[in-house]
Amino acid sequence: MKALTPTEMAEFLSSQPLWCLADGKLVREWRFKDFVAAMEFVNRIATIAEDECHHPDIDIRYNRVRLGLVTHDAGGVTERDARLAARFSSEFPA
Amino acid sequence: MKALTPTEMAEFLSSQPLWCLADGKLVREWRFKDFVAAMEFVNRIATIAEDECHHPDIDIRYNRVRLGLVTHDAGGVTERDARLAARFSSEFPA
């Protein structure tokens, strides 16, 4: 799988404005009422990640969770990352 | 609660060599056989964190989990961080 072209990336970011490109990864942050709610989200994300055999970077800071998606083997963000990012945003809009 | 003095920090790091000081936090990384095992660890850490009302930064990278401890209100690493770090290492030696 090849990395997205700049045009494909721009289209994705335009269609999914809550995601941004940071340090070569697709990144989005969610915020919850507390740590327990954040962990519930993380566990739901983990189940999807196992399902998809594709695992985002997950950074937990109390009630905030930041996901990062990149395909190291492709040297960048691929269609697969974009699809999973869109799925996360679809299942967890806010 | 006050931040550890340099001498107290040096004593802690000497007694707990798997922890280091990075970006002003006490940090240690654990490595597991896969993502599912990493998530089991994260959930056990989360339970302890809720118990202790003190929540480490948790960074998940597939089978690796990095914990970071700092007390923002104290402007640094405190006795409370050191005690929780020691507890994590005691319950999860490797």
Side-chain angles (χ1 to χ4, degrees):
Chain A
M1 187 164 279
K2 284 192 303 186
L4 295 187
T5 66
T7 305
E8 289 167 335
M9 178 60 79
E11 282 170 2
F12 174 81
L13 293 173
S14 154
S15 70
Q16 295 281 347
L18 296 177
W19 290 85
C20 67
L21 191 65
D23 298 325
K25 294 186 266 191
L26 279 184
V27 168
R28 185 186 157 183
E29 188 175 286
W30 280 256
R31 192 177 285 259
F32 301 92
K33 73 172 167 38
D34 57 21
F35 179 71
V36 171
M39 282 302 306
E40 284 170 9
F41 169 74
V42 167
N43 279 294
R44 292 170 70 189
I45 291 295
T47 302
I48 295 173
E50 273 293 291
D51 255 17
E52 298 268 352
C53 288
H54 195 45
H55 302 80
D57 293 347
I58 304 173
D59 293 349
I60 306 166
R61 297 290 177 276
Y62 187 60
N63 67 328
R64 291 178 294 120
V65 181
R66 183 181 160 109
L67 302 185
L69 283 159
V70 64
T71 303
H72 295 289
D73 292 349
V77 171
T78 63
E79 177 62 33
R80 191 182 189 198
D81 297 304
R83 209 170 45 233
L84 192 50
R87 179 171 174 192
F88 289 147
S89 275
S90 161
E91 302 205 16
F92 309 98
Chain B
M1 188 162 277
K2 285 191 301 183
L4 296 187
T5 64
T7 304
E8 290 167 335
M9 177 61 79
E11 282 170 2
F12 175 81
L13 294 174
S14 153
S15 70
Q16 294 281 347
L18 296 177
W19 290 85
C20 67
L21 190 65
D23 298 326
K25 294 184 267 191
L26 278 185
V27 168
R28 184 185 158 184
E29 189 175 287
W30 280 257
R31 190 176 285 260
F32 301 92
K33 72 172 168 34
D34 56 22
F35 179 71
V36 170
M39 282 302 305
E40 284 171 8
F41 169 74
V42 167
N43 279 294
R44 292 171 71 189
I45 291 294
T47 302
I48 294 172
E50 273 294 290
D51 255 16
E52 299 267 353
C53 288
H54 196 46
H55 302 82
D57 295 345
I58 304 174
D59 294 348
I60 307 166
R61 299 290 178 276
Y62 188 59
N63 67 328
R64 289 178 297 119
V65 181
R66 183 180 159 109
L67 302 185
L69 284 158
V70 65
T71 302
H72 295 290
D73 292 349
V77 172
T78 63
E79 177 61 32
R80 190 181 189 199
D81 297 304
R83 209 170 46 231
L84 192 51
R87 178 170 175 192
F88 289 147
S89 275
S90 160
E91 301 206 15
F92 310 98

